[in-house]
Amino acid sequence: MPGLPPSSELLGAYAIATCEPTFENLERTAPKEPGYCTQAAWASDNPGYDTDVTPAPPLKKVQVFFGPACR
């Protein structure tokens, strides 16, 4: 959310509610308004990444990103 520090969350490979792959679910549900950026990466590509730290550290290898603030 714009104005707040970056946060992170550990997700599974599939969205439980829809059974669709997580990256597809993120593309469909990520905010599209100015100031938003949603990034996702495989945990295996980011060893040691701590999802409990705020602000969230940058991902080492981003697989997908959605939102105007990502550019």
Side-chain angles (χ1 to χ4, degrees):
M1 178 174 284
L4 295 178
S7 62
S8 61
E9 183 177 347
L10 181 62
L11 303 172
Y14 291 89
I16 294 172
T18 61
C19 294
E20 68 184 323
T22 296
F23 289 171
E24 289 177 23
N25 181 266
L26 286 173
E27 181 176 20
R28 186 173 56 76
T29 62
K32 311 293 189 280
E33 293 81 21
Y36 283 91
C37 177
T38 300
Q39 299 179 350
W42 297 113
S44 59
D45 287 341
N46 292 273
Y49 190 88
D50 186 352
T51 58
D52 294 324
V53 174
T54 301
L59 292 165
K60 294 177 184 155
K61 187 173 180 185
V62 175
Q63 293 295 317
V64 295
F65 58 90
F66 311 104
C70 296
R71 314 239 184 267

